[in-house]
Amino acid sequence: MARLIKTEKEVEGRYSEQWVVVEEDALEQWPEGPLRTVGRPATRVDGLARARGEARYTQDIQLPGMLHAAVLRSPHARARVKQIDLTPASELAGVRGAVGPGELDVLTDEPNYEGEAVAAVVADTADHARAALEEISIEWEVLEPLLDVDQALARESFLSDPKLYERGDIERGFAEADVVVEAEYRTQSVLHNALETHQTICEWEGETVNVYTSTQWLWGVRDEVAAAFDLPKDKVRVICRFMGGGFGAKGSAGDYTMIAAELARRTGRPVHCRLDRREENVNSGNRNPTIQKLRLGARSDGILTALSADYVCLLGWDGWLPPTAGPVQMLYACDNVRTVEYGVRLNSPPMDAFRAPGFVEGTFGLECALDELAAKLDLDPLELRRRNHADHDPLDERPFSGKQLMECYRRAEPHWERRHEVHARADGPWKHGVGIATQLWYGGGGPPSYAWVRLAGDGTATVLTAMQDIGTGTRTAMAQIAAEELGLPVERVTVELGDTAHGPYAVVSGGSSTTPSMGPAVRAAAGDVARQIREIAAQRFDVEERVLSLAEGKVINADGGSWLLEEITGLLEDGQILGKGARGPNPAGMRVMTYGIQVAEVAVDVETGEVVVERIYAVHDIGRVINPLGAESQIEGGIIQAIGHSLSEQRLLDPRSGKVLTRTLDAYKLPTIADVPEIVSELVDVPDAHLTNLGSKGLGEPPIVPTAAAIANAIRDATGADVRSLPITREEMLGALHEADERRRVPERVGAAPA
Ligand code: MOS
């Protein structure tokens, strides 16, 4: 019987209540450790298709008669359109239509940041469309943008109310402290720069609109387009079979989707609206900069007595306040905590979620300050972290559903011990050091998510679900889960995804939630099929169902006999065995989190300020690992992306005009393969006993969280300099070295006195 219950659901730290229907016969978790397929490395089921260029991304889709749109975006950070005339553009050869302010919600005549959409034209080719933009007659009144953070704070220009969190008594906590550390940290704005730029093709078929889009969430786009065009939800079909990365910036439909849909409706032709790389660097979301004021108090034995943090988050014109204070609130056991987060509204492009939003920024400040504290206490940084381990959730004393952080610390120990030999590498101006930083993040996923599995007469299985694979290897993980449950080799399982018309509802691929949300549904659906096979085989061969199991493409009798699966499915000829599965609830009254620690080894040239990351060791706890090879890729990708924001990436805004200066990949320095260090990764791989039929959490985000702090701490270990601002450019590095020299000369002025 189906039971209706309420469960807690979380995406990136935002919790909500969710009604969920639970089927009665929930599967027990598999035993710990590698199974036949799950837990063993699997190469990507779509790897060859991607490598050969056969995988069709939104960018590759050519529909008959397809037109191309280009968007007129505000060149000013704040301005008013005094007069606009689209006619000269519309009259150009090859131009099929134009749309301006007042005609579509995403177009404005009062832009509040550079790049905000004002008008769009559609033409036979993308070049025609872009050329036509030049012909739009427009007269601007340029207004003074609000760009200065102090001014914004004074004016209380906030996107939402400042968020205060308190537990215990912060004053008493500092009074009890033997040592206090106080410091300011800064993180910069970072751009996602997915390989595939934001883009959508829309095509109307009668009352239905087909939306081909590069998205992290098919169903979210469906809902947004349906609302914007006043359509029943199922009249919007969203398709994304292959996706070239999102990193958080492709969680919603975006102006380009609405523009494509409207221009397709007007012209009766399919319309492609695609951001070019320059638009991508201005107008597709960003990780918001932060200014963090931290104050930490500890007893002489290292036990934290007080954590206080003020965060100013420069969100831009729109967006939301990410959980920047999360690490300070949740990473360590500390009775007295106070945090304030300000979400400042400026005339700069809106922030968007970016791989572990808030926690990347907050972990940098906290984990650097913790090492400054360790230095003052003369305590081993790893030991300091152990002593402050949270055995239950510091927010509300809940038990953790599963937590292997101490095991991560244990495994990291030999890598941390390498510092003695690493120091000895010092050579001339090059100093070497090792640093650590701990990670916590969400990643438990939640309902609703559904899957269907169909087993054909030839004994091959197809998983159907309208989820997306954003490049993380979800297809492969789902194939492994179904294969395991059905006792089939992975090659006999196909995963069909990426189309809201072909399969049931699925979760957003954000918040590291895809595998922990969808995996259990896929397993349940495969389990439903497996149960039916056993029932059918029992009848056919006149044995008891309970003596039958599925493995290696066979139905196996407990007495040792077996039948090929096809002997049973083949009876049905073209008939199919159909299974369905749903993601169950999250464990009641428990906190579901992911953990890890990274150890960075760096070399610093103290004369030039050059920093080279030589090695990163990463160990993460995400419960059961489905595909160790895919997981390793996620760790490597996260660390490489983190090396970008640690050392080189930075969106620069002109402080007077508010225009983005880093518009190309010449100016905006992504890491290249030459910047990639040796990466050694490990996963604890112990199933979370309380979480779903898999015990798996997500890994998309955890690996990017601690890297910057580990690098900064390694730099301190190498040089004694405190780098407190990202990215750690040569200028930043030389400044920190200079400051450290000054401190050595006037040692009594170090840090703040205890309160
Ligand atoms: Mo996100 S930053 O896609 O969870």
Side-chain angles (χ1 to χ4, degrees):
M1 193 191 92
R3 266 190 314 128
L4 180 67
I5 63 163
K6 251 192 181 174
T7 183
E8 195 172 62
K9 176 191 174 133
E10 166 276 313
V11 178
E12 301 194 324
R14 283 172 286 179
Y15 287 87
S16 58
E17 291 268 295
Q18 175 76 49
W19 284 105
V20 56
V21 175
V22 188
E23 306 277 345
E24 282 301 333
D25 52 343
L27 297 162
E28 294 289 313
Q29 281 190 9
W30 286 311
E32 191 179 318
L35 308 167
R36 284 195 182 79
T37 301
V38 162
R40 299 196 186 274
T43 53
R44 290 186 183 227
V45 294
D46 50 6
L48 283 177
R50 288 173 188 266
R52 287 172 178 153
E54 293 161 359
R56 266 206 293 166
Y57 294 77
T58 306
Q59 166 88 57
D60 300 316
I61 293 169
Q62 298 287 342
L63 298 178
M66 189 168 84
L67 304 175
H68 301 267
V71 184
L72 175 69
R73 298 186 176 278
S74 173
H76 308 293
R78 187 168 161 242
R80 197 172 295 135
V81 175
K82 293 208 306 204
Q83 176 276 124
I84 183 166
D85 185 5
L86 304 174
T87 326
S90 308
E91 285 171 350
L92 283 183
V95 173
R96 304 286 173 164
V99 60
E103 298 180 77
L104 196 58
D105 279 350
V106 296
L107 302 176
T108 181
D109 55 8
E110 290 192 33
N112 275 298
Y113 53 91
E114 189 200 14
E116 192 165 8
V118 175
V121 295
V122 62
D124 291 341
T125 70
D127 285 346
H128 276 104
R130 287 197 191 276
L133 291 183
E134 305 291 323
E135 301 305 316
I136 293 175
S137 152
I138 189 162
E139 200 183 323
W140 290 103
E141 180 189 355
V142 180
L143 304 169
E144 184 74 20
L146 177 58
L147 297 165
D148 180 75
V149 63
D150 295 322
Q151 229 177 67
L153 286 169
R155 286 194 217 164
E156 301 195 359
S157 173
F158 298 133
L159 258 178
S160 51
D161 288 338
K163 206 162 150 188
L164 173 70
Y165 168 82
E166 281 180 295
R167 70 170 178 258
D169 179 342
I170 194 76
E171 293 311 321
R172 200 186 60 213
F174 281 113
E176 287 169 3
D178 297 312
V179 173
V180 171
V181 157
E182 198 168 350
E184 183 179 298
Y185 298 90
R186 287 179 182 245
T187 61
Q188 78 279 41
S189 180
V190 188
L191 303 172
H192 304 70
N193 265 311
L195 265 181
E196 184 183 36
T197 62
H198 288 61
Q199 55 194 294
T200 298
I201 298 162
C202 287
E203 172 195 42
W204 290 79
E205 277 187 300
E207 292 301 296
T208 298
V209 59
N210 299 328
V211 179
Y212 300 83
T213 187
S214 180
T215 186
Q216 293 176 232
W217 198 18
L218 298 171
W219 296 84
V221 170
R222 178 193 75 145
D223 291 359
E224 279 186 66
V225 172
F229 291 86
D230 198 19
L231 294 167
K233 287 182 175 184
D234 268 343
K235 294 291 179 191
V236 181
R237 176 180 173 192
V238 183
I239 302 147
C240 179
R241 294 201 189 280
F242 289 91
M243 200 272 202
F247 307 114
K250 289 180 185 161
S252 49
D255 53 21
Y256 50 94
T257 299
M258 302 306 179
I259 289 166
E262 174 63 13
L263 291 171
R265 196 183 60 79
R266 290 188 184 191
T267 57
R269 305 260 294 264
V271 171
H272 189 183
C273 187
R274 169 188 168 276
L275 270 60
D276 66 17
R277 187 56 64 183
R278 283 177 172 78
E279 288 175 288
E280 191 75 14
N281 275 272
V282 175
N283 200 50
S284 67
N286 58 77
R287 189 190 292 282
N288 61 267
T290 67
I291 303 167
Q292 316 179 13
K293 290 194 170 66
L294 266 68
R295 197 157 177 245
L296 278 55
R299 296 194 320 230
S300 56
D301 61 0
I303 299 299
L304 291 167
T305 59
L307 294 173
S308 159
D310 276 20
Y311 298 99
V312 175
C313 302
L314 286 65
L315 303 181
W317 187 251
D318 212 346
W320 43 277
L321 195 56
T324 319
V328 162
Q329 295 167 0
M330 303 170 77
L331 186 47
Y332 297 110
C334 177
D335 291 337
N336 308 299
V337 176
R338 183 179 192 277
T339 63
V340 192
E341 295 159 282
Y342 300 93
V344 175
R345 184 175 221 189
L346 298 166
N347 291 111
S348 58
M351 58 76 72
D352 204 344
F354 192 151
R355 210 167 186 173
F359 275 53
V360 164
E361 303 88 288
T363 299
F364 175 67
L366 173 63
E367 287 293 280
C368 287
L370 208 73
D371 267 35
E372 295 193 33
L373 187 69
K376 267 192 141 182
L377 287 162
D378 197 20
L379 194 64
D380 179 299
L382 183 55
E383 178 59 20
L384 178 62
R385 285 166 174 83
R386 280 203 181 102
R387 288 190 190 172
N388 290 289
H389 181 268
D391 299 328
H392 48 74
D393 176 23
L395 288 178
D396 58 9
E397 315 265 312
R398 289 188 204 196
F400 292 115
S401 59
K403 180 171 185 178
Q404 303 290 334
L405 182 56
M406 279 301 205
E407 174 63 12
C408 293
Y409 288 162
R410 193 187 68 75
R411 295 198 193 186
E413 184 84 50
H415 301 272
W416 173 230
E417 284 306 313
R418 283 164 57 98
R419 66 191 181 282
H420 307 293
E421 61 188 80
V422 168
H423 291 158
R425 287 186 213 147
D427 180 16
W430 285 97
K431 309 291 177 207
H432 294 250
V434 181
I436 57 172
T438 304
Q439 166 262 320
L440 117 146
W441 172 248
Y442 306 94
S449 270
Y450 307 94
W452 298 330
V453 171
R454 75 177 186 226
L455 187 69
D458 64 358
T460 60
T462 304
V463 176
L464 293 113
T465 173
M467 70 184 299
Q468 54 286 317
D469 181 342
I470 63 174
T472 52
T474 311
R475 263 191 192 84
T476 309
M478 297 307 128
Q480 286 181 276
I481 291 167
E484 186 69 45
E485 189 64 30
L486 293 168
L488 288 175
V490 184
E491 301 74 47
R492 276 167 66 179
V493 179
T494 302
V495 179
E496 289 291 347
L497 52 77
D499 186 339
T500 56
H502 294 171
Y505 183 93
V507 71
V508 59
S509 288
S512 302
S513 65
T514 314
T515 298
S517 296
M518 184 51 72
V522 169
R523 185 177 170 216
D528 187 6
V529 170
R531 178 184 51 79
Q532 295 177 56
I533 296 169
R534 288 194 301 270
E535 287 172 0
I536 295 165
Q539 293 165 54
R540 177 73 177 106
F541 301 111
D542 202 19
V543 290
E544 273 191 87
E545 192 190 318
R546 60 176 179 80
V547 303
L548 299 178
S549 59
L550 304 184
E552 291 162 10
K554 292 176 203 147
V555 179
I556 297 170
N557 190 330
D559 72 6
S562 66
W563 303 273
L564 282 180
L565 188 59
E566 298 90 300
E567 288 185 51
I568 293 135
T569 56
L571 298 171
L572 306 175
E573 298 179 24
D574 281 338
Q576 298 177 331
I577 299 171
L578 304 176
K580 66 182 171 64
R583 167 62 151 85
N586 280 329
M590 292 186 154
R591 186 75 63 195
V592 185
M593 304 296 288
T594 57
Y595 307 89
I597 180 170
Q598 292 182 5
V599 184
E601 297 180 13
V602 305
V604 183
D605 182 331
V606 295
E607 287 174 358
T608 65
E610 185 177 356
V611 175
V612 178
V613 179
E614 298 193 318
R615 183 178 190 264
I616 304 267
Y617 167 77
V619 54
H620 290 272
D621 162 32
I622 55 155
R624 178 195 300 282
V625 177
I626 305 297
N627 181 6
L629 187 60
E632 190 180 38
S633 296
Q634 284 303 303
I635 294 177
E636 289 170 359
I639 287 171
I640 294 166
Q641 200 164 36
I643 284 173
H645 69 231
S646 298
L647 299 183
S648 63
E649 288 183 49
Q650 180 170 32
R651 182 199 67 181
L652 294 173
L653 282 186
D654 180 279
R656 294 171 76 93
S657 69
K659 293 189 191 190
V660 177
L661 299 171
T662 45
R663 310 168 84 87
T664 66
L665 295 180
D666 286 340
Y668 185 85
K669 300 281 184 204
L670 288 168
T672 70
I673 198 68
D675 303 299
V676 176
E678 179 190 0
I679 297 173
V680 179
S681 66
E682 254 186 273
L683 290 150
V684 177
D685 197 10
V686 172
D688 183 324
H690 300 283
L691 184 66
T692 74
N693 60 30
L694 288 184
S696 292
K697 303 174 222 185
L699 185 64
E701 288 157 307
I704 199 177
V705 173
T707 317
I711 290 171
N713 288 337
I715 289 172
R716 176 180 310 97
D717 183 57
T719 65
D722 294 310
V723 281
R724 299 198 181 102
S725 180
L726 297 180
I728 308 162
T729 57
R730 290 187 186 207
E731 188 184 7
E732 173 66 26
M733 189 63 244
L734 290 172
L737 286 163
H738 180 74
E739 203 182 283
D741 277 347
E742 293 286 299
R743 235 180 323 166
R744 263 177 228 122
R745 258 177 247 147
V746 199
E748 66 275 14
R749 291 182 57 208
V750 173

